[in-house]
Amino acid sequence: MTVGQLSRQCILAAGLLLALPALADETGPLAVVPKPRAEANPEFGCVRPEEDMRKHHMDYLMVHRDDTLRRGIRTRDFSLAECVNCHITPKPDGQYARFGEKEHFCSSCHTYAAVRIDCFECHRDTPDPEKVRETAQQNPHRGLAADSNHPAGIMPVSATVGEAR
Amino acid sequence: MDKKSNQTDQARRRFFGQVAAVASLTVAPGVILQQVAHARSPEEPASDKNRWGILINTNKCAEGCDACVTACQDEYGWGPNGPETRSSDLQKAQWIRKVKLTDKQTGHVQTLPLMCQHCEHPPCVDVCPTGASMKRADGIVLVDKHICIGCRYCMMACPYKARSFIHEELHDQKVNAPRGKGTVESCTLCVQRVDAGRQPACVEACPEQAMIFGDLKDPESAISRELRENGGEQIRADLGLNTGIRYQGL
């Protein structure tokens, strides 16, 4: 195992640890991973089983971005816009947490595990306010597919987790 | 002043005349167009069976009208109301712009929208050192900002000055247009709209219907028929780039 692989394992282990809420009380200041606002799938919550997402979300995202940009494949599952639309943290002032604040889903673990990503230098770090607020009740899973003209249409959401806005 | 508006009026009248004349004919082809432009399923990649293009009739393009430019700005969040606050006007994004041509001899004024011409042989792709500048299978020329290093060779290689560079950090981008400091960008032919079977925003916004969007490889598409019947030129055809954007009345 190279040093790179070793450190990757360590970081992953850290990432996995913080996902265990039971540990949080006993071991002090672990990152709090914010609750998403909706479930993609009644069986496993996220677009893939949670354990799988914790370990492999970066790989899925990287493959999907090339598929979308270079080949024009616009499926929803690993769309970054869709992650951001489900995994949001509403704040008391009516705004959403921004990337960089530890309440932002994609900052929560990364701050803890010292992972730095540049995605939100370009990508929007909060859901599109117009799109989210007007139709959140009908479909909390907004994003690319929020566009009713989009062939992907609207993904059925069985239950709404967290605060629906 | 009066002369100019007169000319525009005449152009309008001519245009409405034409519309009236072809209205009955276009009903059926309109239906065909709908079918052709039907969206691929989301998991299906873009294919080289299509080549997307726009035909712009400069005779219908009114001086002083910038509906196509503002539509693009609204759609993608660039321009005067965009997030760039510290860049100079020369530095700011310019995905599409109106260009005015004056014939010095006759004084005849023409305007036209100019943007990425979506070349079949794009010089920007040739010079890119990372492969960020790319042409999709269906002929749409894009910047893959994920691997763009901001060297700006492509900006210099482009004969149409169609690309711009982002000079400052941005926030609150549009969901459909991720944009960030240090990368080059240009017209995407509204790629995410095209993937969904829709028309580019500029085409939709033109009040004179001066722009026709469609598949150049489909002989029955409105754009191919119009090109076949009435022709259309490329800007700088001498460069042999085979552009996807064509103009009439230059």
Side-chain angles (χ1 to χ4, degrees), chain B residues 12-193:
Chain B
R12 278 219 182 100
R13 238 167 271 145
R14 243 181 301 154
F15 162 56
F16 285 127
Q18 281 167 7
V19 169
V22 290
S24 50
L25 294 177
T26 33
V27 177
V31 175
I32 292 168
L33 178 72
Q34 283 272 321
Q35 287 167 349
V36 170
H38 196 276
R40 312 188 310 269
S41 71
E43 58 279 345
E44 201 186 321
S47 116
D48 60 7
K49 290 196 190 73
N50 309 107
R51 171 145 193 242
W52 302 113
I54 300 179
L55 175 60
I56 301 168
N57 187 338
T58 58
N59 291 322
K60 295 182 189 173
C61 181
E63 196 190 345
C65 168
D66 62 354
C68 50
V69 179
T70 48
C72 183
Q73 291 171 339
D74 288 350
E75 184 88 5
Y76 300 114
W78 58 274
N81 304 321
E84 285 145 292
T85 50
R86 288 174 294 141
S87 304
S88 74
D89 283 348
L90 281 173
Q91 292 172 325
K92 276 188 182 158
Q94 188 72 266
W95 292 25
I96 175 173
R97 62 186 194 272
K98 279 292 290 281
V99 172
K100 186 168 152 184
L101 311 170
T102 312
D103 186 326
K104 283 203 185 115
Q105 220 163 32
T106 61
H108 178 60
V109 174
Q110 259 185 324
T111 66
L112 54 90
L114 193 71
M115 65 292 230
C116 171
Q117 303 285 298
H118 298 282
C119 309
E120 187 191 353
H121 309 292
C124 55
V125 173
D126 289 345
V127 300
C128 179
T130 68
S133 214
M134 54 160 284
K135 188 175 62 141
R136 240 169 60 145
D138 56 4
I140 302 182
V141 175
L142 295 171
V143 181
D144 182 347
K145 296 185 190 178
H146 298 121
I147 53 174
C148 172
I149 54 170
C151 73
R152 290 165 266 179
Y153 284 177
C154 57
M155 289 175 64
M156 279 181 273
C158 177
Y160 307 100
K161 282 202 193 311
R163 287 196 165 174
S164 45
F165 179 78
I166 304 175
H167 292 259
E168 57 180 295
E169 276 174 29
L170 305 179
H171 299 285
D172 292 319
Q173 295 90 332
K174 300 268 183 182
V175 173
N176 57 3
R179 311 175 56 219
K181 183 177 170 179
T183 52
V184 171
E185 58 184 5
S186 59
C187 157
T188 64
L189 210 71
C190 283
V191 65
Q192 73 305 100
R193 280 174 167 246

Side-chain angles (χ1 to χ4, degrees), chain A:
Chain A
M1 183 183 283
T2 65
V3 179
Q5 279 171 335
L6 186 68
S7 66
R8 192 183 159 108
Q9 297 293 323
C10 292
I11 301 176
L12 263 186
L16 289 174
L17 269 182
L18 13 130
L20 298 173
L23 277 175
D25 299 340
E26 290 151 37
T27 48
L30 286 184
V32 179
V33 182
K35 284 273 170 214
R37 71 210 305 252
E39 279 182 350
N41 185 302
E43 264 175 71
F44 47 73
C46 199
V47 288
R48 288 290 178 277
E50 256 181 85
E51 322 68 89
D52 187 25
M53 286 308 279
R54 279 181 209 127
K55 263 196 239 171
H56 298 304
H57 62 274
M58 52 309 256
D59 303 329
Y60 290 139
L61 283 168
M62 294 304 190
V63 170
H64 185 68
R65 76 177 195 185
D66 293 346
D67 275 355
T68 302
L69 207 151
R70 305 189 76 94
R71 301 179 60 212
I73 296 174
R74 290 188 182 268
T75 48
R76 287 162 308 195
D77 276 10
F78 300 116
S79 159
L80 183 55
E82 298 286 9
C83 320
V84 171
N85 271 312
C86 256
H87 288 287
I88 56 167
T89 320
K91 298 200 292 189
D93 61 359
Q95 302 291 309
Y96 297 107
R98 312 293 309 241
F99 179 71
E101 299 178 78
K102 63 179 189 314
E103 296 85 20
H104 190 283
F105 179 73
C106 307
S107 304
S108 56
C109 295
H110 293 171
T111 311
Y112 181 78
V115 177
R116 194 171 167 272
I117 57 169
D118 68 354
C119 318
F120 298 104
E121 281 175 23
C122 290
H123 288 268
R124 198 184 162 93
D125 55 355
T126 56
D128 185 336
E130 291 159 31
K131 285 187 175 167
V132 173
R133 293 219 170 87
E134 83 201 17
T135 37
Q137 280 92 337
Q138 292 128 289
N139 170 33
H141 183 205
R142 312 304 304 170
L144 293 175
D147 192 344
S148 52
N149 290 313
H150 194 277
I154 284 168
M155 187 186 242
V157 175
S158 60
T160 307
V161 191
E163 202 181 325
R165 303 172 56 87

